[in-house]
Protein backbone atom coordinates (compact mmCIF):
# COMPACT_ATOMS: atom_id res chain seq x y z
CA UNK A 1 0.00 0.00 0.00
CA UNK A 2 1.45 3.37 -1.07
CA UNK A 3 1.91 5.86 1.80
CA UNK A 4 1.24 8.75 -0.62
CA UNK A 5 -2.23 7.35 -1.33
CA UNK A 6 -3.00 7.21 2.38
CA UNK A 7 -1.64 10.74 2.80
CA UNK A 8 -3.98 12.00 0.05
CA UNK A 9 -6.94 10.28 1.73
CA UNK A 10 -6.20 11.88 5.14
CA UNK A 11 -5.67 15.34 3.61
CA UNK A 12 -8.87 15.23 1.54
CA UNK A 13 -10.87 14.33 4.61
CA UNK A 14 -9.18 17.10 6.64
CA UNK A 15 -9.81 19.83 4.06
CA UNK A 16 -13.11 18.48 2.72
CA UNK A 17 -11.95 19.01 -0.86
CA UNK A 18 -9.82 17.30 -3.49
CA UNK A 19 -8.69 20.70 -4.80
CA UNK A 20 -7.62 22.05 -1.40
CA UNK A 21 -5.75 18.85 -0.58
CA UNK A 22 -3.98 19.08 -3.94
CA UNK A 23 -2.93 22.66 -3.22
CA UNK A 24 -1.50 21.77 0.19
CA UNK A 25 0.32 18.72 -1.18
CA UNK A 26 1.60 20.74 -4.18
CA UNK A 27 0.04 18.26 -6.59
CA UNK A 28 -2.44 18.54 -9.42
CA UNK A 29 -6.07 17.67 -8.71
CA UNK A 30 -5.99 14.73 -11.20
CA UNK A 31 -2.95 13.30 -9.37
CA UNK A 32 -4.78 13.39 -6.04
CA UNK A 33 -7.84 11.80 -7.65
CA UNK A 34 -5.65 9.05 -9.14
CA UNK A 35 -4.16 8.32 -5.71
CA UNK A 36 -7.61 7.90 -4.17
CA UNK A 37 -8.71 5.65 -7.04
CA UNK A 38 -5.61 3.52 -6.51
CA UNK A 39 -6.30 3.29 -2.78
CA UNK A 40 -9.94 2.35 -3.42
CA UNK A 41 -8.80 -0.46 -5.76
CA UNK A 42 -6.44 -1.76 -3.09
CA UNK A 43 -9.17 -1.68 -0.44
CA UNK A 44 -11.87 -2.84 -2.87
CA UNK A 45 -14.34 -0.19 -1.70
CA UNK A 46 -15.37 3.41 -2.34
CA UNK A 47 -14.01 5.90 0.23
CA UNK A 48 -15.81 9.14 -0.73
CA UNK A 49 -19.27 10.04 -1.97
CA UNK A 50 -19.59 13.16 -4.14
CA UNK A 51 -22.63 15.48 -4.01
CA UNK A 52 -21.89 18.19 -6.58
CA UNK A 53 -18.85 20.00 -5.20
CA UNK A 54 -19.38 18.50 -1.73
CA UNK A 55 -17.74 15.25 -0.62
CA UNK A 56 -18.15 13.06 2.42
CA UNK A 57 -16.73 9.80 3.65
CA UNK A 58 -18.61 6.61 2.91
CA UNK A 59 -19.22 4.20 5.79
CA UNK A 60 -16.17 2.21 4.65
CA UNK A 61 -14.18 5.46 4.49
CA UNK A 62 -15.16 6.32 8.06
CA UNK A 63 -14.05 2.86 9.19
CA UNK A 64 -10.69 3.19 7.44
CA UNK A 65 -9.93 6.80 8.51
CA UNK A 66 -8.51 6.15 12.03
CA UNK A 67 -6.24 3.43 10.64
CA UNK A 68 -5.05 5.71 7.84
CA UNK A 69 -4.30 8.48 10.35
CA UNK A 70 -2.40 6.05 12.55
CA UNK A 71 -0.40 4.70 9.59
CA UNK A 72 0.54 8.23 8.50
CA UNK A 73 1.46 9.27 12.04
CA UNK A 74 3.59 6.15 12.56
CA UNK A 75 5.36 6.76 9.25
CA UNK A 76 6.11 10.38 10.19
CA UNK A 77 7.39 9.37 13.64
CA UNK A 78 9.65 6.74 12.10
CA UNK A 79 10.94 9.26 9.58
CA UNK A 80 11.63 11.75 12.38
CA UNK A 81 13.44 9.07 14.40
CA UNK A 82 15.78 8.39 11.47
CA UNK A 83 16.45 12.09 10.85
CA UNK A 84 16.91 12.83 14.56
CA UNK A 85 19.99 10.62 14.58
CA UNK A 86 21.71 12.94 12.15
CA UNK A 87 24.22 15.49 13.34
CA UNK A 88 23.05 18.94 14.36
CA UNK A 89 22.68 21.06 11.20
CA UNK A 90 25.25 23.75 10.42
CA UNK A 91 22.53 26.20 9.42
CA UNK A 92 19.01 26.79 10.75
CA UNK A 93 16.63 28.27 8.17
CA UNK A 94 13.83 30.29 9.76
CA UNK A 95 10.94 31.89 7.90
CA UNK A 96 8.85 34.70 9.35
CA UNK A 97 6.21 37.27 8.54
CA UNK A 98 7.22 40.92 8.22
CA UNK A 99 6.14 41.89 11.74
CA UNK A 100 8.08 39.05 13.35
CA UNK A 101 11.10 39.86 11.18
CA UNK A 102 11.02 43.55 12.11
CA UNK A 103 10.20 43.42 15.80
CA UNK A 104 11.05 39.98 17.24
CA UNK A 105 13.75 38.25 15.20
CA UNK A 106 16.71 40.41 16.33
CA UNK A 107 16.02 39.46 19.96
CA UNK A 108 15.23 35.81 19.16
CA UNK A 109 18.35 35.38 17.04
CA UNK A 110 20.57 36.68 19.82
CA UNK A 111 19.01 34.18 22.24
CA UNK A 112 19.44 31.32 19.76
CA UNK A 113 23.03 32.28 19.06
CA UNK A 114 23.82 32.16 22.78
CA UNK A 115 22.41 28.63 23.01
CA UNK A 116 23.55 27.16 19.67
CA UNK A 117 26.96 28.72 19.20
CA UNK A 118 28.05 26.48 16.29
CA UNK A 119 24.99 27.12 14.09
CA UNK A 120 24.51 29.83 11.48
CA UNK A 121 21.06 31.30 10.94
CA UNK A 122 19.31 32.23 7.70
CA UNK A 123 16.11 34.32 7.81
CA UNK A 124 13.48 34.46 5.06
CA UNK A 125 10.70 37.06 5.27
CA UNK A 126 7.51 36.31 3.33
CA UNK A 127 3.70 36.01 3.64
CA UNK A 128 2.23 33.02 5.50
CA UNK A 129 1.21 31.01 2.41
CA UNK A 130 4.67 31.32 0.89
CA UNK A 131 6.36 30.32 4.16
CA UNK A 132 4.11 27.26 4.47
CA UNK A 133 5.00 26.23 0.93
CA UNK A 134 8.73 26.62 1.61
CA UNK A 135 8.44 24.59 4.81
CA UNK A 136 6.57 21.82 2.97
CA UNK A 137 9.30 21.67 0.32
CA UNK A 138 12.00 21.70 3.06
CA UNK A 139 13.44 25.05 1.99
CA UNK A 140 12.85 26.14 5.61
CA UNK A 141 13.26 24.34 8.93
CA UNK A 142 10.80 26.43 10.97
CA UNK A 143 8.47 29.34 10.27
CA UNK A 144 6.55 32.02 12.15
CA UNK A 145 3.18 32.41 10.43
CA UNK A 146 -0.35 33.63 10.90
CA UNK A 147 -2.66 30.93 12.20
CA UNK A 148 -3.24 28.11 9.69
CA UNK A 149 -4.37 24.48 9.71
CA UNK A 150 -2.27 21.81 8.00
CA UNK A 151 -1.94 18.19 9.21
CA UNK A 152 1.66 18.07 7.95
CA UNK A 153 2.74 20.77 10.42
CA UNK A 154 3.29 20.80 14.14
CA UNK A 155 1.94 24.18 15.24
CA UNK A 156 2.88 25.98 18.45
CA UNK A 157 0.99 29.13 19.56
CA UNK A 158 3.71 31.77 19.88
CA UNK A 159 2.25 35.25 20.27
CA UNK A 160 -1.09 37.03 20.25
CA UNK A 161 -0.82 40.70 19.30
CA UNK A 162 -3.88 42.87 20.12
CA UNK A 163 -5.07 45.24 17.39
CA UNK A 164 -5.98 48.67 18.78
CA UNK A 165 -6.57 52.15 17.45
CA UNK A 166 -3.50 54.40 17.75
CA UNK A 167 -3.52 58.20 17.59
CA UNK A 168 -0.78 60.83 17.81
CA UNK A 169 -0.31 62.35 21.26
CA UNK A 170 -2.05 65.69 20.47
CA UNK A 171 -5.17 64.03 19.05
CA UNK A 172 -8.43 64.76 20.96
CA UNK A 173 -9.01 61.03 21.56
CA UNK A 174 -5.61 60.61 23.22
CA UNK A 175 -6.81 62.02 26.54
CA UNK A 176 -9.99 59.95 26.62
CA UNK A 177 -8.28 56.63 25.88
CA UNK A 178 -11.59 55.06 24.88
CA UNK A 179 -14.19 55.62 22.15
CA UNK A 180 -16.84 53.92 20.09
CA UNK A 181 -16.76 53.21 16.38
CA UNK A 182 -19.25 56.06 15.84
CA UNK A 183 -16.84 58.50 17.50
CA UNK A 184 -14.28 57.95 14.73
CA UNK A 185 -16.61 57.79 11.72
CA UNK A 186 -15.53 61.24 10.52
CA UNK A 187 -11.83 60.82 11.35
CA UNK A 188 -9.19 60.52 8.63
CA UNK A 189 -8.19 56.86 8.74
CA UNK A 190 -5.02 55.12 7.69
CA UNK A 191 -5.82 51.48 7.08
CA UNK A 192 -3.04 48.93 7.43
CA UNK A 193 -4.07 45.48 6.25
CA UNK A 194 -1.84 42.41 6.36
CA UNK A 195 -4.22 39.90 4.76
CA UNK A 196 -5.25 38.23 8.00
CA UNK A 197 -8.87 37.28 8.72
CA UNK A 198 -8.64 39.49 11.80
CA UNK A 199 -8.60 42.55 9.55
CA UNK A 200 -11.90 41.39 8.06
CA UNK A 201 -13.37 41.69 11.56
CA UNK A 202 -12.30 45.35 11.60
CA UNK A 203 -14.03 45.86 8.24
CA UNK A 204 -17.23 44.27 9.53
CA UNK A 205 -17.28 46.63 12.52
CA UNK A 206 -17.35 49.60 10.14
CA UNK A 207 -20.28 48.07 8.26
CA UNK A 208 -22.54 49.03 11.17
CA UNK A 209 -22.12 52.73 10.29
CA UNK A 210 -24.55 54.60 8.05
CA UNK A 211 -21.68 55.73 5.82
CA UNK A 212 -18.32 54.15 4.99
CA UNK A 213 -15.27 55.17 7.05
CA UNK A 214 -13.06 57.95 5.72
CA UNK A 215 -10.10 55.79 4.69
CA UNK A 216 -7.70 58.18 2.96
CA UNK A 217 -4.57 56.01 3.07
CA UNK A 218 -4.60 52.22 2.60
CA UNK A 219 -1.18 50.59 3.03
CA UNK A 220 0.22 47.07 3.37
CA UNK A 221 3.20 47.93 5.57
CA UNK A 222 2.92 48.66 9.29
CA UNK A 223 5.94 50.99 9.30
CA UNK A 224 4.37 53.16 6.59
CA UNK A 225 1.08 53.28 8.49
CA UNK A 226 2.80 54.10 11.77
CA UNK A 227 4.83 56.93 10.27
CA UNK A 228 1.73 58.46 8.72
CA UNK A 229 0.12 58.55 12.17
CA UNK A 230 3.28 60.10 13.64
CA UNK A 231 3.07 62.80 10.94
CA UNK A 232 -0.56 63.45 12.00
CA UNK A 233 -1.94 62.32 8.62
CA UNK A 234 -4.64 60.32 10.39
CA UNK A 235 -5.28 57.56 12.93
CA UNK A 236 -4.87 53.83 12.46
CA UNK A 237 -5.67 50.35 13.80
CA UNK A 238 -2.33 48.62 14.35
CA UNK A 239 -0.89 45.54 16.11
CA UNK A 240 0.67 46.53 19.41
CA UNK A 241 4.08 45.00 18.65
CA UNK A 242 4.91 47.45 15.87
CA UNK A 243 4.21 50.57 17.98
CA UNK A 244 5.67 49.43 21.29
CA UNK A 245 8.61 51.86 21.26
CA UNK A 246 6.48 54.83 20.15
CA UNK A 247 3.91 54.15 22.89
CA UNK A 248 6.64 53.89 25.54
CA UNK A 249 8.08 57.20 24.29
CA UNK A 250 4.64 58.86 24.46
CA UNK A 251 4.54 59.59 20.72
CA UNK A 252 1.53 57.36 20.04
CA UNK A 253 -1.43 56.68 22.31
CA UNK A 254 -3.69 53.59 22.21
CA UNK A 255 -7.44 54.17 22.19
CA UNK A 256 -9.74 51.29 23.12
CA UNK A 257 -12.66 50.92 20.71
CA UNK A 258 -15.49 48.98 22.33
CA UNK A 259 -16.54 47.20 19.13
CA UNK A 260 -13.01 45.92 18.33
CA UNK A 261 -12.08 44.63 21.79
CA UNK A 262 -10.53 41.19 21.61
CA UNK A 263 -9.35 41.35 17.98
CA UNK A 264 -5.74 40.23 17.78
CA UNK A 265 -3.22 38.79 15.32
CA UNK A 266 -2.08 35.29 16.29
CA UNK A 267 1.41 34.16 15.34
CA UNK A 268 2.25 30.45 15.43
CA UNK A 269 5.59 28.69 15.13
CA UNK A 270 5.35 25.73 12.75
CA UNK A 271 7.61 22.82 11.84
CA UNK A 272 7.10 19.66 9.84
CA UNK A 273 5.62 17.03 12.15
CA UNK A 274 8.22 15.75 14.60
CA UNK A 275 11.12 17.75 13.17
CA UNK A 276 13.39 20.39 14.76
CA UNK A 277 11.61 20.13 18.12
CA UNK A 278 14.76 21.18 20.01
CA UNK A 279 14.92 24.47 18.10
CA UNK A 280 11.16 25.01 18.36
CA UNK A 281 11.31 24.59 22.14
CA UNK A 282 14.26 26.99 22.35
CA UNK A 283 12.38 29.61 20.33
CA UNK A 284 9.25 29.22 22.46
CA UNK A 285 11.33 29.66 25.60
CA UNK A 286 13.17 32.67 24.15
CA UNK A 287 9.90 34.19 22.95
CA UNK A 288 8.48 34.02 26.45
CA UNK A 289 11.43 35.98 27.76
CA UNK A 290 11.39 38.57 24.99
CA UNK A 291 7.63 39.20 25.10
CA UNK A 292 7.20 39.32 28.88
Amino acid sequence: MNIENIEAFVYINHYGSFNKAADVLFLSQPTVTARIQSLERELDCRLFDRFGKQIQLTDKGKQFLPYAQQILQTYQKGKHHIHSKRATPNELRIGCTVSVSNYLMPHLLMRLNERFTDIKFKITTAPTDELAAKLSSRELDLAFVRKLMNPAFQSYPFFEDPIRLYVYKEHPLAAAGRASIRDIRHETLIFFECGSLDWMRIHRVFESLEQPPNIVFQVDNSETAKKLVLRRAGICFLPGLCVQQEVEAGLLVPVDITETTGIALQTNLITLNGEHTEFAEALLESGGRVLN
Side-chain angles (χ1 to χ4, degrees):
M1 188 171 288
N2 191 321
I3 194 70
E4 292 178 340
N5 296 346
I6 294 175
E7 181 183 53
F9 171 66
V10 171
Y11 274 59
I12 291 167
N13 175 70
H14 179 83
Y15 287 100
S17 164
F18 278 66
N19 285 331
K20 289 180 182 177
D23 289 341
V24 172
L25 291 168
F26 301 101
L27 299 171
S28 67
Q29 191 271 338
T31 298
V32 171
T33 299
R35 290 185 178 183
I36 295 302
Q37 291 171 343
S38 175
L39 184 60
E40 289 176 333
R41 285 194 296 271
E42 290 175 344
L43 295 172
D44 193 25
C45 68
R46 193 173 71 256
L47 296 172
F48 292 102
D49 280 327
R50 293 176 182 263
F51 303 94
K53 293 185 177 180
Q54 301 296 316
I55 63 165
Q56 67 178 35
L57 289 172
T58 63
D59 289 340
K60 294 291 186 182
K62 291 175 183 177
Q63 292 174 27
F64 182 63
L65 179 62
Y67 297 102
Q69 292 170 329
Q70 186 175 2
I71 291 168
L72 191 59
Q73 185 178 35
T74 301
Y75 168 75
Q76 290 171 340
K77 284 183 177 178
K79 190 175 179 181
H80 167 61
H81 182 73
I82 293 171
H83 289 309
S84 66
K85 300 301 180 183
R86 294 178 179 175
T88 302
N90 295 322
E91 180 181 71
L92 187 66
R93 302 162 301 171
I94 304 173
C96 53
T97 56
V98 172
S99 60
V100 173
S101 180
N102 286 343
Y103 309 115
L104 288 181
M105 282 316 300
H107 305 287
L108 294 175
L109 287 173
M110 290 179 66
R111 296 277 188 181
L112 285 176
N113 191 43
E114 291 170 1
R115 182 162 175 175
F116 303 101
T117 55
D118 296 328
I119 295 180
K120 299 184 184 301
F121 303 93
K122 181 178 180 181
I123 305 302
T124 298
T125 303
T128 288
D129 289 346
E130 187 176 332
L131 294 172
K134 287 181 179 293
L135 184 64
S136 294
S137 61
R138 297 186 181 277
E139 296 174 63
L140 294 174
D141 301 311
L142 312 97
F144 291 95
V145 298
R146 300 297 179 212
K147 188 176 180 179
L148 54 76
M149 297 294 293
N150 188 316
F153 299 154
Q154 177 69 49
S155 183
Y156 308 87
F158 187 78
F159 179 56
E160 197 167 88
D161 196 3
I163 300 171
R164 300 171 73 185
L165 180 70
Y166 288 89
V167 302
Y168 47 89
K169 61 182 180 180
E170 296 87 358
H171 192 279
L173 289 174
R178 179 173 290 277
S180 73
I181 201 71
R182 291 187 62 81
D183 294 330
I184 64 171
R185 65 188 186 280
H186 299 305
E187 295 282 346
T188 299
L189 288 176
I190 301 149
F191 208 89
F192 161 63
E193 188 167 350
C194 69
S196 167
L197 290 176
D198 298 288
W199 291 111
M200 295 304 296
R201 294 176 63 188
I202 299 285
H203 276 295
R204 285 197 292 271
V205 169
F206 280 115
E207 289 175 1
S208 65
L209 300 176
E210 298 85 1
Q211 61 187 62
N214 184 28
I215 300 174
V216 178
F217 306 99
Q218 189 162 340
V219 300
D220 62 357
N221 183 286
S222 61
E223 284 295 305
T224 302
K226 179 174 67 177
K227 287 173 181 175
L228 282 167
V229 179
L230 288 169
R231 291 175 179 270
R232 299 168 177 76
I235 60 179
C236 186
F237 285 93
L238 288 166
L241 192 61
C242 74
V243 295
Q244 189 172 357
Q245 290 184 350
E246 288 76 13
V247 170
E248 290 174 357
L251 299 174
L252 292 178
V253 179
V255 177
D256 291 323
I257 302 297
T258 305
E259 294 87 346
T260 62
T261 301
I263 299 179
L265 292 181
Q266 183 172 321
T267 295
N268 284 11
L269 173 62
I270 59 173
T271 66
L272 289 172
N273 279 326
E275 297 190 15
H276 300 293
T277 53
E278 181 183 8
F279 297 114
E281 289 170 1
L283 281 164
L284 292 169
E285 181 184 340
S286 299
R289 293 177 181 177
V290 169
L291 295 165
N292 292 331

